[in-house]
Amino acid sequence: YEKESGRIRPLLATVAAVFDSVYPQLDSRLAFIPLSILGEADGYEILLPEGSDVDSILSSLLEHGVPAASFKSLNREAYMNVRSSLSVLYLILFLIAALAAFFSADAAEHYVSRDRKDIAELMVLGAGRGRIVRIYMAMTLLLTSSAIAAGTVLGMGLSLLSPSMIGLVARSEPAFLDYYVRSFSISIPWLGILCMLLLSIAVSAISVRVSLGRSYVANILVP
C-alpha cells in the first residue's frame, strides 16, 4: 500500500526461508513481505533453549526496562488447553493404578482358588498363614509387575512412533488434522514414569494383601 498515492500495487518479494508453525490453518494465511514495508519492528520473539527458566528471564527483562511477555500470557487459551490435557492425563494414570489393583486382587483370588487343595495340605503340614500369604503375594506381584512393565514399554514405543503416525494420517487426510499440531518432539519423563510404576505396584500390593487376608487363606480348609 502506497500511502502517498493512496493505492495498492503488487511487489516482488524473495522468500529466503519459510518456517512451518505446524498449524496449517495459520500458515495458509501468512504473507511474506520485505521488512522495509513494515517499518520498525514492534517486537521480537526469543526462542529459549530447552529447560530455561522462562519466568526468571522475563523478570530480568522487565527489571531492565524491556517490555516483555511470555507465551503463556500472550496465548493463554492454548496454554490452559495444555494444562487441561495434563489434568486429564493424571486422571487416566489414577484409573490405570486402580485397574492394576483390581487385576492384582482378581489374580490373587484365582491363584488361591486354583491351589485350594495344595494350600490346605501345606497348612496341615504346619505351614503358617503368614508364609502362605507371602508366597502368593510374591506370585501375584510378579505377574502384575510384568504386566505393568510390558504395558509401559508398549506405551512408550507407541509414543515414539506417534509423530510418524500423525504424519501418515496428515498426508492421507490433510483436512483431518488442520487444527492439530503435526510436528513435535517426544520427551520421555523417566522420573514420572518410575513414580507411576512404583505407585501402581504399591497399590497392587495393598490390594493383594487385603485379598489374601482372612476371607481366603484363613477359611481355606472350610469345605
Side-chain angles (χ1 to χ4, degrees), residues 134-148:
R134 286 193 295 271
I135 291 174
Y136 279 88
M137 275 196 67
M139 292 173 55
T140 306
L141 289 180
L142 178 61
L143 175 65
T144 303
S145 301
S146 300
I148 292 175

Side-chain angles (χ1 to χ4, degrees), residues 96-109 111 136-152 196-209:
I96 291 175
L99 182 62
F102 176 79
F103 170 77
S104 302
D106 186 68
E109 182 178 0
Y111 284 150
Y136 279 88
M137 275 196 67
M139 292 173 55
T140 306
L141 289 180
L142 178 61
L143 175 65
T144 303
S145 301
S146 300
I148 292 175
T152 301
M196 181 196 70
L197 292 176
L198 294 178
L199 175 63
S200 299
I201 294 175
V203 173
S204 299
I206 295 174
S207 177
V208 171
R209 184 63 182 85

Side-chain angles (χ1 to χ4, degrees), residues 163-176:
S164 300
M165 297 170 62
I166 291 177
L168 182 63
V169 174
R171 286 192 295 270
S172 60
E173 294 291 340
F176 184 72

Side-chain angles (χ1 to χ4, degrees), residues 115-195:
D115 301 339
R116 189 180 183 90
K117 182 178 179 181
D118 296 333
I119 295 175
E121 292 177 354
L122 289 174
M123 296 180 71
V124 170
L125 293 174
R129 175 178 175 272
R131 183 177 182 182
I132 295 175
V133 169
R134 286 193 295 271
I135 291 174
Y136 279 88
M137 275 196 67
M139 292 173 55
T140 306
L141 289 180
L142 178 61
L143 175 65
T144 303
S145 301
S146 300
I148 292 175
T152 301
V153 172
L154 179 61
M156 291 170 59
L158 291 176
S159 298
L160 294 174
L161 292 175
S162 58
S164 300
M165 297 170 62
I166 291 177
L168 182 63
V169 174
R171 286 192 295 270
S172 60
E173 294 291 340
F176 184 72
L177 297 174
D178 274 351
Y179 293 95
Y180 292 87
V181 175
R182 299 183 184 180
S183 177
F184 54 88
S185 59
I186 301 296
S187 177
I188 300 177
W190 296 105
L191 181 59
I193 291 177
L194 178 60
C195 292

Side-chain angles (χ1 to χ4, degrees), residues 14-167:
T14 301
V15 179
V18 177
F19 298 93
D20 188 0
S21 70
V22 307
Y23 285 100
Q25 291 289 342
L26 300 179
D27 295 339
S28 62
R29 290 166 174 79
L30 290 179
F32 299 95
I33 60 176
L35 290 177
S36 58
I37 296 180
L38 297 178
E40 296 183 359
D42 294 330
Y44 300 92
E45 181 179 6
I46 302 176
L47 301 179
L48 300 176
E50 185 177 358
S52 301
D53 189 349
V54 178
D55 294 332
S56 63
I57 296 175
L58 181 62
S59 300
S60 177
L61 291 174
L62 293 175
E63 289 175 359
H64 288 81
V66 180
S70 66
F71 173 85
K72 292 185 290 186
S73 59
L74 293 177
N75 302 275
R76 184 168 181 79
E77 292 184 359
Y79 176 71
M80 295 305 298
N81 186 24
V82 173
R83 297 286 299 180
S84 301
S85 300
L86 290 177
S87 301
V88 174
L89 179 61
Y90 292 138
L91 176 60
I92 293 175
L93 294 180
F94 173 78
L95 294 177
I96 291 175
L99 182 62
F102 176 79
F103 170 77
S104 302
D106 186 68
E109 182 178 0
H110 171 73
Y111 284 150
V112 172
S113 300
R114 182 195 64 185
D115 301 339
R116 189 180 183 90
K117 182 178 179 181
D118 296 333
I119 295 175
E121 292 177 354
L122 289 174
M123 296 180 71
V124 170
L125 293 174
R129 175 178 175 272
R131 183 177 182 182
I132 295 175
V133 169
R134 286 193 295 271
I135 291 174
Y136 279 88
M137 275 196 67
M139 292 173 55
T140 306
L141 289 180
L142 178 61
L143 175 65
T144 303
S145 301
S146 300
I148 292 175
T152 301
V153 172
L154 179 61
M156 291 170 59
L158 291 176
S159 298
L160 294 174
L161 292 175
S162 58
S164 300
M165 297 170 62
I166 291 177

